Amino acid sequence: MGDTRNRIGRRVFLGATGAGALGLAGCIGDNEPEQIDGGGNEDGNSSEESPEGATTLRMRTSTSTTAAYAGNQGIAAAINENTDAVFVEAQTSPGTEANIGALQSGEAEMVYIQNWSAADVREGAEPFGDLDFTMNQIFHYYDLPWFFCTANEGLESLADIESDTTISPTPRGSGTASALEHALEYVTEDYERVSQNYGQQASAMNEGRLDVGVGTYLNFEIVPGWLQEMMGTVDLRILEVPTNVVEAWENDDRLIAESFPGSDLENAAFAPEEVWSVAFSYNFVGRNDLDYDAVYEFLTVLYENRDGLAEYHALLSQLEEESFWIQNSYQNVPFHPAAADFYEEIGIWNEEFERGED
């Protein structure tokens, strides 16, 4: 795993109000940075007409108010403005399970999921036990690292957690909850599990109802508005992670452990020199029988226009870096043959990756 400091491009601080604000929405099965005024029609989906003869790629992310969806609209615009061979339609979705279901039913060609769910698909866990296709990776979209934080001066490290410590590792039912609960098992299973929405954590801390909450740092460069509000409301302290716990996270195939400089969270009351997090890798995937030429054209056009993607949405800025396209790929999930060929041709293919069958 590469040092995340090497790929942090710039920090983006987006306020909590206004059309450009980022917060975090917790839909059932997923958590995404929320953007006010996501755009699109009433259901959030594009109503454009595809050019005659173009192959339509329906891409699903999350709900219409999320940055995930807004960024996908930017991808659609970049593709549709630069080729008539494929047409991208950005579509909304309630979350990961629905996205895999859309591939199964043929209602979408390309969807995003995160690594925790990718492992469930790979292992055939419910509700993914009866899929009639092999899931193929296409490209990396963004990373969502989660770290633990507190307003309790008596807590400095995860090692300080006791049986009466109240912890909200994201709200119950969220897509990240089970993974963060699993990560905490390397510290202790003896704590009081509570459930607080992201924007309610600060008030719960002030009222003594929450000892440990969570924060996130989208793509290791965007501080969401609700976290800024937390740091302005309470003396927010980022918890240290014991070395043995970091090692356990790094050795767990189901987790992605990554770190970033504590100085990036400049408004926190305290942050360790190195903030360790459990990160989620959101990648676009498709069926193994998705049209080869359409995938190749899609990647080619997006790649050729990568330098201007951030103009469509800040979320896309990391795609300017070639290595980001295959970063945090899913273990034992093959790449679509067109993606494998494309990445090999531009010189970023890793021989440890698996190429899907044509």
Side-chain angles (χ1 to χ4, degrees):
M1 189 82 58
D3 187 340
T4 57
R5 298 188 195 91
N6 293 333
R7 60 181 179 76
I8 295 174
R10 58 189 175 88
R11 286 179 295 157
V12 181
F13 295 90
L14 297 175
T17 59
L22 292 189
L24 203 78
C27 22
I28 298 300
D30 284 293
N31 302 286
E32 284 83 20
E34 179 178 338
Q35 171 159 330
I36 309 302
D37 297 337
N41 57 25
E42 288 186 3
D43 63 2
N45 294 326
S46 171
S47 58
E48 294 182 53
E49 294 289 335
S50 62
E52 184 177 353
T55 300
T56 297
L57 296 175
R58 295 165 294 180
M59 296 178 66
R60 292 194 178 187
T61 49
S62 188
T63 58
S64 62
T65 57
T66 60
Y69 172 70
N72 194 26
Q73 285 182 303
I75 288 175
I79 296 295
N80 297 340
E81 291 171 7
N82 290 285
T83 183
D84 290 328
V86 296
F87 177 79
V88 173
E89 182 179 320
Q91 294 189 344
T92 57
S93 170
T96 293
E97 290 187 11
N99 283 345
I100 296 299
L103 292 182
Q104 173 79 351
S105 65
E107 295 176 288
E109 285 71 42
M110 204 181 298
V111 303
Y112 93 158
I113 61 172
Q114 34 89 342
N115 55 287
W116 191 261
S117 295
D120 285 339
V121 173
R122 186 187 66 224
E123 296 168 6
E126 291 301 325
F128 310 120
D130 296 314
L131 300 179
D132 63 3
F133 64 92
T134 299
M135 184 174 69
N136 281 184
Q137 302 185 74
I138 299 174
F139 72 101
H140 179 49
Y141 191 35
Y142 66 75
D143 296 299
L144 203 59
W146 290 94
F147 51 86
F148 294 96
C149 53
T150 184
N152 186 336
E153 292 185 359
L155 297 174
E156 297 181 355
S157 166
L158 290 182
D160 297 328
I161 293 173
E162 299 180 345
S163 60
D164 61 349
T165 304
T166 53
I167 305 178
S168 177
T170 73
R172 288 189 179 93
S174 72
T176 55
S178 58
L180 292 181
E181 289 168 353
H182 176 68
L184 283 172
E185 290 175 1
Y186 287 108
V187 183
T188 180
E189 295 183 40
D190 191 15
Y191 61 90
E192 185 179 346
R193 204 321 184 176
V194 297
S195 183
Q196 296 289 341
N197 289 332
Y198 309 102
Q200 298 173 345
Q201 292 181 112
S203 60
M205 288 178 178
N206 268 332
E207 296 167 7
R209 296 182 287 110
L210 179 65
D211 291 316
V212 177
V214 292
T216 192
Y217 190 29
L218 174 62
N219 265 351
F220 299 90
E221 66 172 0
I222 297 175
V223 177
W226 61 266
L227 180 58
Q228 293 180 57
E229 289 184 351
M230 281 183 68
M231 292 188 289
T233 303
V234 299
D235 291 331
L236 196 68
R237 305 175 63 84
I238 313 306
L239 291 177
E240 296 180 344
V241 182
T243 300
N244 66 310
V245 175
V246 170
E247 292 174 352
W249 287 356
E250 291 179 322
N251 292 327
D252 189 322
D253 290 340
R254 291 294 303 262
L255 299 177
I256 299 174
E258 298 206 34
S259 67
F260 61 89
S263 58
D264 284 4
L265 302 176
E266 57 187 24
N267 293 322
F270 169 80
E273 183 177 346
E274 187 174 25
V275 176
W276 278 98
S277 68
V278 174
F280 291 79
S281 175
Y282 285 78
N283 297 347
F284 273 98
V285 300
R287 297 173 61 102
N288 58 298
D289 57 4
L290 180 56
D291 184 74
Y292 179 100
D293 291 339
V295 174
Y296 193 90
E297 175 72 4
F298 170 90
L299 290 173
T300 299
V301 174
L302 196 64
Y303 178 78
E304 290 175 347
N305 292 277
R306 65 191 182 282
D307 291 343
L309 291 177
E311 297 178 9
Y312 293 98
H313 195 279
L315 179 63
L316 307 178
S317 63
Q318 293 278 16
L319 287 170
E320 293 181 19
E321 300 179 24
E322 291 181 341
S323 61
F324 189 78
W325 293 60
I326 56 171
Q327 185 169 285
N328 288 339
S329 58
Y330 303 146
Q331 292 186 1
N332 301 319
V333 177
F335 277 83
H336 188 278
D341 289 346
F342 178 78
Y343 295 137
E344 188 171 17
E345 288 176 15
I346 65 173
I348 63 172
W349 178 253
N350 188 325
E351 292 302 325
E352 295 181 359
F353 293 160
E354 179 183 350
R355 185 185 190 279
E357 296 182 1
D358 295 305

